[in-house]
Amino acid sequence: MTALAAVVLCAGKGTRMKSEKAKVLHPILGRPICAYPLKRALELGATSVVPVVGHQAAEVEKSIRAHFPEAPLRFALQKEQRGTADAVKAAEDALKGHDGRVLILYGDVPLLRKETLQALLAAHDAAGGALALVSTTLEDPTGYGRVIREAGKVARIVEHKDCTPEQRAVKECNAGIYSVDAAFLWKALAEIKPVNAQGEYYLTDLVEMAAKHGPVGAVDADATETAGVNDKVELAARARVLQQRINEAHMRAGVSILDPATAYIEEGITIGTDTEIGPSVTLAAGTVVGKNVIIGQGSVLTASHVADGTHIKPYSVLEEARVGDRCIIGPFSRLRPGTDLAEDVHLGNFVETKKARIGKGSKANHLTYLGDANIGAGCNIGAGTITCNYDGVNKHLTELGDGVFIGSDSQLVAPVKVGDGGYVGAGTTVTKNVPPGSLAVSRAPQVVKEGWVAGKKARQAKVKAGG
Ligand code: UD1
Ligand code: MG
């Protein structure tokens, strides 16, 4: 197999986005537009991937590095936008020594599928020439470079502005995506001159140069795949297509999605069979969901793991949380980073957890904050329980053994421990460790004054009468 490198053009400004942010950084389903072509290049096994940056180069580089911390990226800078050939030329130094093929992709074309790129490489192999390209047939080809064929073979690309009236009638368009032999590429780029209607260095000139030496391969791709993003209407339209593609793949694999139009599932999320995703659910950042899970309406899961048979009720928010088998969470639960639940845990409405390990079968069903806590199995945490984990300077740990009962409206002032089977009476402020099997109560003894209300009324009446 020939070694593969990739150049992804990310230098453009994207004036029509009407934004302070570089075009390629605008997000589609949680990732910048350019992350998609970069990911495809990596999936194809490209050993070097060169994003060519220009406009807001530092921000674009930073964002790309954050999304691909371990990828073999080498950034190249195109200082001035002098055309697509000039942009690719900027990558030459970064690819010194690479003698295989170079895949050229646009950073603003997010929907191109891996299969289409594989077909492009296969077409390059089959034709046996120096270059292969992706074409797309458009009813309205205005603005695109036209694929000009002679005796059925690709002869050259002519840009819209340089076309004769006959050439303008051609509907086969150049998508701008190529596979090129490295040796030919760098040699040919050096010969390209900006002699055309736009005075730019046209990458498309490569096609005619390659066609003179051998056959140019071509694959026809659907226009939805090759479409770029130029403004925010197109951004939303591309996001819609991606969303549909992802959701359909999950449904075909046995996931039920109640309203595919409002389920936002990022690329690369794993979901088990017979899991049901409710309306307006978001699954982001590598979340993994098991089998037979129900995720209720409006829930947002980010970088979280949910095991089999769990029910996440509506409007719950999970971030870097791990949830075991058969748990019941929500409605309106908030599981923050470091939450780690064993099996059969129940967390109900308005329960917030952070760095909380909770053992098998424990329950906190209402209005509770559990932060920096190690909680054993079979505990019952009453409504309104709060771990006071922060003293204004440091965070402290609350530790509950197995089978602990915490009465409603209690505060656990950390660091503090309640031993196995310990019992905390409702309304207690726990400031000292509670040994196993012991009761802690800190509330004031109740006082009952019989007849007090009638007496109070009589006193008030007297005051009113000026007595
Ligand atoms: C290009 C092709 C055209 C094709 C069309 C498909 C050329 C000469 N023409 O035209 O045949 O039909 O794409 O969309 O290649 N870029 C840079 N630096 C530059 C210029 C461009 O990074 O100096 C980037 C842009 O940000 C964009 C991509 O390259 O991502 C394409 O550039 P654009 O100016 O849109 O090319 P088109 O005129 O559309
Ligand atoms: Mg364009």
Side-chain angles (χ1 to χ4, degrees), residues 140-153:
D140 176 12
T142 310
Y144 285 84
R146 307 299 205 280
V147 178
I148 306 302
R149 290 178 182 263
E150 283 169 4
K153 294 202 164 66

Side-chain angles (χ1 to χ4, degrees), residues 41 70 101 131 141 173 247 266 308 344 352 354 384:
E70 275 149 34
R101 278 184 187 158
L131 179 148
C173 297
N247 290 352
E266 288 183 6
D308 300 345
D344 303 302
E352 174 182 346
K354 186 219 73 172

Side-chain angles (χ1 to χ4, degrees), residues 94-355:
L95 291 181
K96 265 220 160 69
H98 169 72
D99 64 355
R101 278 184 187 158
V102 180
L103 199 59
I104 299 172
L105 306 174
Y106 286 169
D108 62 356
V109 175
L111 298 180
L112 196 70
R113 290 176 313 125
K114 182 178 151 194
E115 290 77 7
T116 302
L117 290 173
Q118 282 165 336
L120 172 67
L121 296 176
H124 192 170
D125 283 338
L131 179 148
L133 59 86
V134 177
S135 67
T136 189
T137 304
L138 299 175
E139 260 325 292
D140 176 12
T142 310
Y144 285 84
R146 307 299 205 280
V147 178
I148 306 302
R149 290 178 182 263
E150 283 169 4
K153 294 202 164 66
V154 176
R156 71 187 69 86
I157 306 290
V158 180
E159 289 306 292
H160 183 85
K161 286 184 181 154
D162 301 301
C163 277
T164 63
E166 297 77 59
Q167 289 170 333
R168 282 203 178 169
V170 171
K171 289 181 172 162
E172 189 185 2
C173 297
N174 171 34
I177 292 141
Y178 318 83
S179 163
V180 193
D181 289 345
F184 165 79
L185 177 64
W186 310 123
K187 199 165 154 284
L189 280 179
E191 292 167 21
I192 291 177
K193 305 226 158 45
V195 274
N196 49 59
Q198 304 187 87
E200 286 183 9
Y201 292 87
Y202 282 177
L203 186 58
T204 44
D205 288 357
L206 285 182
V207 177
E208 185 168 13
M209 295 161 99
K212 282 188 179 142
H213 298 289
V216 167
V219 280
D220 189 54
D222 195 274
T224 50
E225 271 193 62
T226 58
V229 174
N230 289 303
D231 59 28
K232 287 175 178 172
V233 174
E234 291 181 0
L235 181 72
R238 305 300 168 256
R240 193 65 157 177
V241 172
L242 184 66
Q243 175 192 20
Q244 194 178 349
R245 221 190 247 174
I246 292 170
N247 290 352
E248 282 182 12
H250 284 298
M251 291 187 280
R252 293 221 162 80
V255 176
S256 301
I257 300 183
L258 301 190
D259 182 9
T262 64
Y264 300 95
I265 304 174
E266 288 183 6
E267 212 176 70
I269 304 277
T270 309
I271 310 175
T273 50
D274 287 319
T275 282
E276 181 187 297
I277 310 288
S280 295
V281 163
T282 298
L283 302 180
T287 287
V288 177
V289 179
K291 292 187 284 189
N292 279 306
V293 171
I294 299 175
I295 302 190
Q297 177 159 341
S299 292
V300 180
L301 278 65
T302 306
S304 293
H305 280 61
V306 177
D308 300 345
T310 279
H311 186 173
I312 312 269
K313 293 184 176 178
Y315 303 104
S316 295
V317 178
L318 280 67
E319 191 184 348
E320 292 174 41
R322 301 186 78 90
V323 179
D325 292 332
R326 300 176 306 277
C327 291
I328 301 175
I329 308 298
F332 302 101
S333 289
R334 180 172 181 212
L335 277 53
R336 292 169 51 204
T339 296
D340 189 349
L341 311 182
E343 312 88 84
D344 303 302
V345 169
H346 295 186
L347 299 181
N349 40 277
F350 309 107
V351 171
E352 174 182 346
T353 58
K354 186 219 73 172
K355 279 194 188 162

